[in-house]
Amino acid sequence: MLIVDDDTIIRITLRSLIDWNEFGYCIAADAINGQQALDYIRNNHVDLVITDMKMPVMDGVGLLKEINKEQQIPEVLVLSGYDDFNLVRDSFRYGACDYILKEGLTQEALISVLERLDRKNPAEGKGSQAEDHSKNSRSDSVLLAEMAMGKQPVSGKFLSQDYLVIQFEIEDFYKVSVRFGDNYEEALIKPFFDLAAQIPRVASRCILGTLAPSRFLMLYRINDTVQYEENAVSACRQLCNVWKHFMNLTVSGGVSSPGHGENDFLDCFEEAGRQLRLCPLKGKGTLSAPWVKKSVAYEDVKNTGDSYKKLLRGLLLGDDLMVSGEKSRFIGELYRIGLEEGKEMCLRLICALAWEFSENHDDITAIFPEAVNYYEKIGRMEEIRILELWINNYFRWIMDYHTHQSDRKQMDMMSRAKRFILDNYANPELTLKSVAGFVGFNEKYFSTRFTKEEGMTFINYLTQVRIRKARELMETTDLKIYEISQSVGYNNVEHFTRVFKKNWGVSPGNYRK
């Protein structure tokens, strides 16, 4: 198996998430972009590639295109973000076998995909996938989801009248998912669908499909062309209330503009996803639709984020110097465009910041103890100077939050590092570099931080762990000294004896006596 991702944390997570040997795989290598992966594949045998979509030099789609030109074609499992659905669809066109959302990269999700691969007929060719998964043998729910994700061509089977596409997302999914155990299908998805089927107007005119355990889509057939907007939003709110009341799940939704026929379906699906990404401005458990007045537009948020990328980056890094200069530019623009346009620009920037939080596996709502509807909050401001004061305070809240988070993450990093040492002290190859790599820091920084936090160097800490374990073995077992030496990570018994005596004042043999 070959891991391809430019994110160090993702590569480390994939390595340690499951026991790969148990599933018949060994990790051959890592690559940080598609070109590096392709070079490896051309010179080595690879059965499975797990690849990110967005990478420098060559992205995931480019890698898939090139792999298809090779004589030996491995299976390819795609890692995707919620905003990468276009790339995922392209990946299926070029032969990807499945995908996992990065936000959903759990042990259960990975095992589920590997089990599906294990059940797959080895003789099955990539080109026969459409025939084997005949539309006639699929439920409407599965077909809808596979059309959206590009696993199946779009069919006009249930697209003959006007419709809306809605994407739903379970908020804080990886906090609440533990309630459902390993079997999402039975414990989560089935009751999720069963509850929807209890609502007559949903059952009669809607089809619900699953994109991922935390992401769903719904096709809403329009019967009343006059009141469809109100009726669709009302049905979605009823669904979200039912899921909240009976399953304690907070669900947000994004609604598309009307579509008709198969040619509009993918555009509507993408628009629903874009609307869903605007929900952070209203808060969790809300709906976003394109016809709501005074709502920000997805493209405007994207453009504002691009214009103030440096400001967003500075806020995320807690870099006062970077924020200071960019903040002055932003405030100056507020005064130039005036109060009303300035309010909208603040909304667009906050939404872009929420996206940045999500990219960093964080949650912008965690900054405040209570839910905030930014449309209402900013809409009440009646003077430009009040808006300036509020946005200045908002930037400071962000900076303070990340300072706190950074301190917490440093503590988490040390805990993870020490746990890794305790789990791997018996490995003679355990080094400062390998532990630093596991927690995602460079060797020099980790060494300095470890010494500062623990009051001793990494090598002294590792030695203490090994000697303590050796003492326990001497006190509780009849193992020979050379066997104990090997059990705690020392291949050379003479070296072990010297280290033990230096740390404990007596030789291992005398200690045992």
Side-chain angles (χ1 to χ4, degrees), residues 323-339:
V323 169
S324 179
E326 287 295 295
K327 182 176 68 173
S328 298
R329 182 166 75 91
F330 182 80
I331 299 296
E333 183 65 10
L334 287 183
Y335 276 92
R336 189 188 70 78
I337 62 180
L339 180 61

Side-chain angles (χ1 to χ4, degrees), residues 45-255:
H45 176 77
V46 176
D47 297 295
L48 174 65
V49 175
I50 301 182
T51 181
D52 189 18
M53 284 282 91
K54 294 181 178 178
M55 297 177 291
V57 186
M58 180 188 289
D59 65 11
V61 172
L63 174 60
L64 272 160
K65 288 179 181 178
E66 293 299 320
I67 283 176
N68 282 327
K69 299 175 184 177
E70 300 298 310
Q71 286 189 331
Q72 297 294 325
I73 301 178
E75 295 284 5
V76 179
L77 172 63
V78 167
L79 290 173
S80 164
Y82 278 136
D83 58 343
D84 296 345
F85 280 130
N86 287 339
L87 291 173
V88 172
R89 282 206 300 271
D90 287 343
S91 73
F92 282 125
R93 283 174 48 215
Y94 293 107
C97 63
D98 215 329
Y99 78 102
I100 295 179
L101 290 171
K102 280 193 174 183
E103 291 83 349
L105 186 55
T106 64
Q107 187 179 68
E108 293 78 15
L110 191 53
I111 290 172
S112 175
V113 172
L114 292 176
E115 288 176 342
R116 286 200 298 275
L117 280 176
D118 193 45
R119 290 194 298 267
K120 186 176 178 181
N121 182 358
E124 177 187 11
K126 292 180 183 293
S128 66
Q129 192 170 5
E131 293 130 21
D132 291 343
H133 298 291
S134 169
K135 288 181 286 183
N136 293 328
S137 66
R138 293 280 177 153
S139 70
D140 288 348
S141 174
V142 174
L143 177 57
L144 178 70
E146 295 200 343
M147 289 192 317
M149 295 309 300
K151 289 186 176 182
Q152 294 284 348
V154 177
S155 163
K157 178 179 178 181
F158 33 67
L159 302 174
S160 58
Q161 67 185 91
D162 290 348
Y163 57 82
L164 303 171
V165 176
I166 298 98
Q167 288 199 38
F168 293 108
E169 181 181 352
I170 299 174
E171 300 280 7
D172 301 320
F173 179 72
Y174 298 103
K175 293 179 183 177
V176 302
S177 61
V178 293
R179 299 184 350 226
F180 303 103
D182 297 342
N183 192 346
Y184 287 142
E185 185 65 41
E186 288 297 318
L188 168 62
I189 296 173
K190 188 176 184 299
F192 197 86
F193 279 43
D194 288 346
L195 285 170
Q198 301 302 312
I199 302 173
R201 57 178 168 173
V202 173
S204 64
R205 69 174 63 176
C206 299
I207 302 171
L208 201 62
T210 307
L211 300 172
S214 61
R215 179 71 74 100
F216 303 84
L217 81 158
M218 185 171 78
L219 186 79
Y220 178 95
R221 297 185 183 93
I222 296 173
N223 291 339
D224 185 346
T225 56
V226 177
Q227 291 186 303
Y228 75 87
E229 296 174 353
E230 180 183 338
N231 291 339
V233 169
S234 173
C236 290
R237 285 193 175 127
Q238 187 177 2
L239 268 173
C240 292
N241 287 337
V242 165
W243 289 327
K244 179 66 176 177
H245 181 72
F246 289 99
M247 297 183 72
N248 195 24
L249 295 173
T250 301
V251 181
S252 296
V255 187

